[in-house]
Amino acid sequence: MIPKNRSVKKIIKKVGRGSFTLFLALTFATPSWRYGPFTWLPLWRAEEIAGAPVTIGVFNLLPLMALAGLLAGRVGRAGGGGWQWGRREVTRPLLGLTGLGLFSLTVQSPRLLFIHAGGWAMAWLVYLYVLNERPFLPLPLAFILLIQGGDALAQFFLQRDVGLVGLGELPLNPAFSGVTVLWARGARWLRAYGLTAHPNLLGAALAVILLLLWPRYGRCRGWRRVGLGMALAVGSAGLFVSFSRAAWLGFAVGLAAWAILVARETGNAAPFKSRLLLPLIPALLLSLAYGDLVLSRFVALDTPIEARSLDERVSDSRLALALIADHPWRGVGLGNYTDYAQTMAAGARRVHNVLLLVTAELGLPGGLLWLWLALAPLLAGRRSKNRALSKAVWLAMLAMSQLDTMVWVSGNWQTAVLFALLAANMTVESTLWDFTGFGRIP
């Protein structure tokens, strides 16, 4: 039982808020919870959890401490706790997808049960925490832009990993098989990973965080504008060197939608000011110096690397449709897509489309729930500048979801947290990202 003493509850809430902020920053500062910061100051070692050995460090307690802070703010309130569940257009389909997904898991697959039940639990913790506690998010998100973007730029210019073993950085060499590269200037070029498991995940994370923070750049002044501008500049340059087509598309859609929706919903025909584009200068300079690398992702599609990538995406989409036809109502089960697909074609990988993935794993009911989740928030709600900003980021997520699954709960723990932030942003139409109320405990 959480103590009712108001001073104790306030301390627990402050500790919970600090824990949530640190957890969010660390989540995107290492590719895996199996190594890096989450293994520091070890508390317990296990020979196997979800198929591999793991060391549980003290930072693994951060989600539990955040949960304690969340509960401390609700226990003892009149009317049963005062939970905020968010907009029904977001929360209801999310609940439906959670239920379908968890129902499809079985105890005979403890690895999938741990990974996917844990992923959904993490997503709901982040979603509900942001809705109920309204934490100050620009600081950890700007930190993520700086560390991920900075590491990505160093990897690209060095064409190897930077050696951040303590943060879990992967060993990267463009000459090695399995490392994601592009072909240009007669050579293999390393696509930046940052501190993630894949360049597409790096691109997705940077694109989403940039869009969440960019509209606030024009609202802050002094050192805050300088600091945020630096983070946006490093993050946008890091997005460039990820060479992720899905992330580039999402970012472009988000910026365009922001301008159009703000103009339509507020009557302001000029939502952009020239200074808002200043953080894009480093990325624009990179595009001038490495424009042929960009073109290789869109024009030189007959190179072995790009041709194989496109062929795999087309083949995987056909396999997903075949799986949907074979398992139309219940699907193959959460996390089972690759196993089933490989029985039909050796070497098949997860389809790069969220709707096809969800429908294949959870059946047509799951696909319809995802369409509800995707479209209902865009069609509901009053017109406002904040709502326009939320819709713009949501549209960016939908654009990326057509080409990749890096902004969806079942990808991995990072994608679960990323999607939860997007869902929370969509449901509160808020001042979550403003530089007001720093450190304030309601």
Side-chain angles (χ1 to χ4, degrees), residues 292-379:
D292 54 326
L293 274 66
V294 176
L295 290 176
S296 73
R297 297 289 286 155
F298 295 96
V299 177
L301 301 181
D302 56 345
T303 62
I305 292 174
E306 298 301 335
R308 183 174 68 250
S309 174
L310 292 176
D311 288 344
E312 288 174 348
R313 287 172 184 260
V314 172
S315 175
D316 289 341
S317 296
R318 290 173 178 167
L319 284 175
L321 291 172
L323 283 176
I324 293 169
D326 291 343
H327 306 272
W329 299 113
R330 296 189 60 182
V332 299
L334 188 60
N336 288 322
Y337 175 87
T338 304
D339 290 340
Y340 274 81
Q342 288 179 349
T343 64
M344 303 173 68
R349 297 186 295 184
R350 203 161 87 150
V351 64
H352 286 67
N353 181 285
V354 174
L355 177 58
L356 290 178
L357 175 65
V358 171
T359 308
E361 291 191 338
L362 303 182
L364 291 174
L368 291 174
L369 281 170
W370 187 86
L371 286 173
W372 179 12
L373 174 64
L375 300 178
L378 296 174
L379 302 176

